[in-house]
Amino acid sequence: AQAELEDRERPGAYHRLRFTGPGGREVLIDTTRPELLPACVALVCHPDDERYADLVGTTVRSPLFGVEVPVHAHTLADPAKGTGMVMVCTFGDLSDVTWWRDLRLDTRVVIGRDGRLLPEPPVGVPAQPYAALAGQTVNGARREIVGMLADAGDLVGEPRAITHPVKFYERGDRPLEIVSTRQWYLRNGGRDPQLREELLARGRELRWVPEHMRHRYDHWVGGLTGDWLVSRQRFFGVPVPVWYRLDDAGEPDRFQPLTPDESALPVDPSSDAPAGYDESQRGRPGGFIGDPDVLDTWATSSLSPQIVGGWEIDPDLFGRVFPMDLRPQGHDIIRTWLFSTVVRSHLEHGVLPWRDAELSGWILDPDRKKMSKSKGNVVTPMALLEQSGSDAVRYWAASGKPGMDLAYDPAQIKIGRRLATKMLNASKFALGLGAGDALRAAATEPLDRAMLAELSAVVTAATTALEGYDHTAALLATESFFWRFCDDYIELVKERAYGSGPGADSARAALATALSVQLRLFAPVLPFVTEEVWSWWRYGSVHRAPWPTTYEVGRAIEGEGDPELLRIAGEALSQVRRAKSERKLSMRAEVPIAEALGPAVLLEKLTLVSDDLRAAGRIAKLDLLPDRTTELVIASAF
């Protein structure tokens, strides 16, 4: 369970031990684990270390125990560390595991699951020197064997104090020991170069969002050195569906496990008997026992696409949904959940489990540090949901781009709540003008057509972003338009919408289309407020309504629409409002005369929306005066 390990600097000591080589040659090694001497299975040096070149392929004799162990060369050995010759024990650290596996060394286990040295020595290790160590704790055995080595003259010099990294369980307070147990593994490319290349090819076949996250997958697969350990010694979990025959002495035959027929799955070997046996034979000589282990979390969750797709249960459903489209998940479990799911699907079905993978980041605290219970900086969402509402929290969450970490930001949540409130109020206002009855009418006035033309571009931008799984860009485009729609368009058009005739009909038609489209654009991020507003005037659920299209918006425009008109009219109205604010006047104060100065092309467009601008700004007279300025300037007289 390397995901739960961490290195911590700990005090230790180097002990220099004397091994005996061919012809009585002295071979010295430095070790921080002298208590593992009875577990020694080899000495290892670097292939380019000329000091030991003639020893490679020979054997040396261990001190105290006199066990012959081979000398090997391996690139993992560091010639500059200690004497350059390393003692390999089963197992002192993860390097020992690598050497043991790569060099196919013997196994001599001396530490049991209780953290004490086993009562009996490994096969081939003399019992007499070992008896003084049996049953000792690791520290006790270390003290004992150091004294024994010193008495035998095999401890060279005094131990040298050092500080070095030691593996700890992330929640533990004692160093970890590696014990030898029987476990179940799945092939994952760690020891199969061909399978590794196939899994790397699957990674290239997958669409990654964002693309650079694929490098994490490639780095993990390319660095695998062992198979996937899938069994766990826990009380709860999916049981390993295997039994073992018991011989006449009641010992299990683990090399010929009894497996159920696929049609019989699932089975629990602790309560189900294998074919050809009955429950009365459980645990008896000549009978059977069930495997006591359960499967690792990832070994079962790696089948989530198959399980939800009805694999082996509903062939019709499975054929329609597998492989799936999308796996959304955090970037920190690419090497676990994503990789394990790819492995299972590749081995079982020969395909990817899904076509796209969208990776999210972590939620960070306001100081952009990872939240952790140990640090006390965890913010749970319940209080936020109760205080600000789900839509506001979702709005903040949607501001995090795929693959990017997101800091907890109360200010952003407040903006989301204000947005949801504004949507309620703006929708209520538009529907109060009669927009709900004008959904199928067409917009004929220039300003109305301009607003819908810009909305059509927003639909394109939001749709393209969502198809690329960029929800943040889709929200930005939709939200930016919504505030212009509220602050500029509604203010510009409401006087006309209150009236009657073709102009009012055009305004209400444009409001209806804009409201309908924006509710659907916001629905993925603000599901509750959009559903509420939708229920005020439309049947069914907004979440089951068709996604808006540019065709739908274009059908509501009679003729062509120029989005520039809305920008020009909005800028002109903003300048009139600013002038009133500077004079501390009400926004409803009358403006006797206003002059619009600017290039002729802008004034020509302003003419098309001048009636709406005068009504919104309470301008009695609006003069349009060509000028050499490059931008539109409104000069108001009060």
Side-chain angles (χ1 to χ4, degrees):
Q2 294 184 38
E4 300 171 339
L5 304 187
E6 61 181 33
D7 285 326
R8 299 182 194 171
E9 293 292 328
R10 296 278 289 185
Y14 268 136
H15 302 77
R16 181 158 290 183
L17 310 187
R18 180 185 292 108
F19 283 69
T20 304
R25 175 179 173 179
E26 181 181 75
V27 181
L28 303 180
I29 65 99
D30 284 345
T31 180
T32 61
R33 303 295 305 272
E35 71 277 8
L36 293 182
L37 181 60
C40 179
V41 291
L43 298 188
V44 173
C45 63
H46 193 276
D48 299 331
D49 195 333
E50 296 180 355
R51 294 173 295 176
Y52 305 114
D54 59 331
L55 279 178
V56 175
T58 67
T59 62
V60 296
R61 190 169 64 254
S62 65
L64 286 184
F65 298 96
V67 176
E68 295 284 336
V69 295
V71 179
H72 292 278
H74 195 284
T75 54
L76 190 61
D78 184 357
K81 186 174 181 180
T83 66
M85 184 70 81
V86 187
M87 178 175 73
V88 181
C89 304
T90 50
F91 298 93
D93 57 22
L94 295 179
S95 295
D96 284 343
V97 177
T98 301
W99 283 319
W100 169 78
R101 182 178 57 241
D102 291 355
L103 301 173
R104 299 182 180 277
L105 302 175
D106 292 335
T107 304
R108 295 190 178 113
V109 177
V110 297
I111 297 180
R113 294 182 64 84
D114 60 357
R116 294 178 178 271
L117 269 69
L118 295 173
E120 298 295 332
V123 176
V125 175
Q128 187 50 46
Y130 184 85
L133 308 176
Q136 296 256 28
T137 64
V138 169
N139 290 334
R142 183 177 304 156
R143 290 190 295 268
E144 182 70 29
I145 201 169
V146 168
M148 295 168 63
L149 287 165
D151 292 343
D154 290 327
L155 182 67
V156 181
E158 293 295 322
R160 306 187 310 278
I162 62 168
T163 299
H164 62 143
V166 178
K167 291 292 183 184
F168 278 73
Y169 175 57
E170 63 180 353
R171 300 185 184 89
D173 56 4
R174 293 185 181 181
L176 284 174
E177 294 291 349
I178 301 174
V179 298
S180 179
T181 58
R182 291 185 177 273
Q183 304 289 343
W184 286 96
Y185 291 81
L186 289 180
R187 297 290 185 189
N188 67 352
R191 294 196 294 168
D192 185 338
Q194 180 178 345
L195 178 56
R196 181 189 295 115
E197 288 304 315
E198 292 173 358
L199 293 172
L200 287 170
R202 290 294 182 201
R204 294 189 293 269
E205 182 183 345
L206 182 64
R207 178 189 179 189
W208 296 81
V209 183
E211 171 61 27
H212 69 264
M213 286 294 175
R214 181 169 67 85
H215 296 299
R216 298 193 184 192
Y217 175 91
D218 291 345
H219 184 266
W220 173 253
V221 178
L224 289 171
T225 58
D227 293 324
W228 175 13
L229 172 61
V230 296
S231 53
R232 292 291 184 270
Q233 292 71 54
R234 296 171 179 162
F235 291 106
F236 301 106
V238 175
V240 175
V242 168
W243 302 267
Y244 305 101
R245 295 183 183 88
L246 298 179
D247 61 21
D248 292 341
E251 294 296 323
D253 179 3
R254 299 187 182 276
F255 295 97
Q256 299 185 60
L258 302 171
T259 58
D261 186 79
E262 186 172 342
S263 62
L265 295 173
V267 300
D268 181 353
S270 67
S271 57
D272 299 326
Y277 294 82
D278 58 50
E279 190 60 30
S280 65
Q281 296 173 280
R282 183 182 298 273
R284 297 180 177 277
F288 71 94
I289 59 169
D291 193 299
D293 290 352
V294 297
L295 292 172
D296 169 38
T297 297
W298 302 115
T300 50
S301 63
S302 61
L303 290 174
S304 52
Q306 290 92 329
I307 293 171
V308 301
W311 180 45
E312 300 287 351
I313 297 174
D314 189 340
D316 176 65
L317 175 62
F318 188 72
R320 288 185 286 120
V321 303
F322 188 87
M324 296 187 170
D325 292 326
L326 173 67
R327 157 63 70 80
Q329 67 165 67
H331 61 58
D332 54 321
I333 50 175
I334 289 174
R335 64 180 184 82
T336 47
W337 196 26
L338 188 147
F339 173 65
S340 64
T341 310
V342 170
V343 169
R344 301 298 294 276
S345 182
H346 174 76
L347 295 177
E348 180 70 28
H349 309 285
V351 297
L352 281 172
W354 6 254
R355 286 175 278 273
D356 305 331
E358 181 182 9
L359 290 310
S360 62
W362 282 328
I363 301 299
L364 308 178
D365 71 7
D367 295 327
R368 302 200 64 81
K369 296 179 181 177
K370 182 183 176 184
M371 291 190 183
S372 168
K373 289 182 179 179
S374 62
K375 295 178 181 178
N377 63 345
V378 174
V379 178
T380 56
M382 185 55 65
L384 302 177
L385 297 172
E386 293 173 347
Q387 178 181 354
S388 302
S390 299
D391 283 341
V393 177
R394 285 173 66 96
Y395 170 85
W396 157 70
S399 64
K401 295 182 179 180
M404 301 296 291
D405 296 336
L406 177 65
Y408 167 61
D409 186 357
Q412 192 75 0
I413 295 176
K414 290 180 180 178
I415 293 173
R417 184 170 178 81
R418 186 164 68 93
L419 174 63
T421 302
K422 187 68 173 180
M423 179 170 292
L424 286 171
N425 293 336
S427 301
K428 188 178 298 183
F429 179 79
L431 294 173
L433 293 174
D437 300 324
L439 185 58
R440 300 189 182 279
T444 58
E445 294 296 314
L447 184 63
D448 304 332
R449 289 184 283 131
M451 182 273 294
L452 291 178
E454 183 176 347
L455 178 58
S456 181
V458 172
V459 169
T460 298
T463 302
T464 301
L466 286 177
E467 287 176 344
Y469 299 115
D470 190 350
H471 53 268
T472 306
L475 174 60
L476 178 62
T478 305
E479 183 185 6
S480 298
F481 175 83
F482 175 74
W483 288 116
R484 291 196 303 277
F485 171 78
C486 295
D487 296 342
D488 294 338
Y489 177 74
I490 288 182
E491 292 301 319
L492 284 163
V493 80
K494 66 181 181 182
E495 290 296 326
R496 174 158 52 90
Y498 274 125
S500 61
D505 293 340
S506 173
R508 288 191 284 267
L511 285 167
T513 298
L515 181 59
S516 174
V517 169
Q518 289 181 94
L519 287 174
R520 285 174 281 163
L521 290 177
F522 274 120
V525 177
L526 309 175
F528 295 99
V529 68
T530 53
E531 181 78 344
E532 173 65 17
V533 174
W534 189 267
S535 71
W536 292 348
W537 66 305
R538 305 297 303 275
Y539 290 107
S541 169
V542 67
H543 304 295
R544 298 186 68 111
W547 185 252
T549 64
T550 55
Y551 171 77
E552 175 188 348
V553 179
R555 191 175 56 185
I557 304 174
E558 187 174 290
E560 297 294 328
D562 181 4
E564 186 71 5
L565 293 182
L566 180 59
R567 187 193 69 79
I568 294 172
E571 174 59 27
L573 179 60
S574 177
Q575 292 189 37
V576 173
R577 289 171 172 167
R578 191 180 308 122
K580 291 182 179 181
S581 178
E582 290 171 352
R583 292 167 174 79
K584 295 182 171 53
L585 296 174
S586 167
M587 291 297 112
R588 300 186 64 83
E590 297 290 338
V591 180
I593 185 170
E595 294 179 344
L597 297 84
V601 63
L602 289 182
L603 295 179
E604 182 180 349
K605 291 188 176 185
L606 184 61
T607 301
L608 299 175
V609 295
S610 59
D611 289 345
D612 289 325
L613 175 60
R614 287 191 301 104
R618 304 286 178 173
I619 303 171
K621 183 180 180 182
L622 177 63
D623 290 337
L624 307 180
L625 305 175
D627 192 85
R628 292 182 179 180
T629 59
T630 58
E631 296 182 353
L632 185 66
V633 177
I634 305 295
S636 306
F638 294 89

